[in-house]
Amino acid sequence: MEILRAEGLASVSEDDHTAFRAVEPCIALPTLLARSMREGRSPQPRPVEIDRFIALHERAAERVRESADGSGDRNDTSTMIERMVAKAERDVVFLVPDHTEGGFEFSRPIVDMALRRGVRLRAVWSSCVFQAPPVMAYARWLAQQDVPPRTVGTVPLRAMIMDGAVAVVIDESEGPRVVRSATELEPLCALAERLWERGAAVRQLGRNPGTPTTRRPRTEIVLRLLAEGLTDDAIARRLGCSVRTVRNDVASAMVALDARSRFQAGARAMQVGLI
C-alpha cells in the first residue's frame, strides 16, 4: 500500500485512517504516466488498457454530481473533488480549517493535476493546521511547487472553490454540499479572497508566497506543443533547447504512453489529462 501511495494511486481513507481508498483514475493515471516519462520507463498499461482508461476518464468527468445530499461518506467527497479538479480550467481555492488525515486538501496528486492543467492553486489554512506532524512537510512540498499555503488565525469553513463557478462546502454534521447558485457562491468567493489577502506567509517554508507559477517538466511541455502541431525545430526554438533534446523527449513520451506515432503520443497525453 505504501508503494501505491507513493505512486499516487491510493490515499488514506478519511473515514478510517487505518484503511485506504483508490485515487480517481482521472487523477492517478496522468500522475503515473508523468512519473514514468521523467524516469524513462514504460508503465504497465498497454494501448487497449490506456484507451479503456480514456473512456473511463470521460465517463467519470460526466458523473460529477449536480448536487450533494450529504448522504455519502468522506471518501465519496474526496472522489467527487478529484473529478472536479480534473475539470478545472483557471483557479482552485482550498479553505482549510483543520487537518484531516487523507483529506483532499492534503493530496499531492490533486496538486499535480491542477498544476499540470495550468490552474492557479491557492490554499488558506487555519494556524492550528500546522500542529499536525505531517503538515509542515506537505507545506514545504507545496512551496517547492510554487504554491505555498497562506495562514490565518481561523478559517470559518472547509471548502473548495473551482473557477469561481462551483464550490464544495463540507459541514461535519451535514456532510458535503455543492454550491452553484450565485447568491451563495458570490459571498463564498468574496470570503476566500479576503482570507487570501489577509493570509500570511509561513516563514519556515523558505520562500515568499506570490502569484503561483507552474513549473512543468519539459517533456510535458514538448507533448503539449506536439499536440498543437509544432515541428521539432519549432519546439526547440520555443524552449531554447536542441532539436536532439526535443526528439529524445518525444521518444521518452512515446515509450511511457505506449504510442506508435508522435501524433498518437500527443493526442493520447491530452486525452488522459497528462497535458
Side-chain angles (χ1 to χ4, degrees), residues 20-37:
F20 296 86
R21 71 172 186 88
V23 173
E24 267 295 282
C26 56
I27 296 286
L29 188 57
T31 299
L32 182 61
L33 290 174
R35 185 178 297 109
S36 297
M37 286 196 301

Side-chain angles (χ1 to χ4, degrees), residues 2 6 12 14 21 30 39-40 55 69 96 127 130 133-134 140 162 169-171 180 195 199 214 225 251 266 273-274:
E2 288 304 320
V12 173
E14 284 194 65
R21 71 172 186 88
E39 297 175 357
D69 58 11
V96 188
S127 56
F130 290 92
R140 290 194 182 99
M162 188 179 73
V169 178
I170 295 92
D171 184 283
R180 296 182 187 273
L195 292 173
T214 302
L225 297 177
L274 183 58

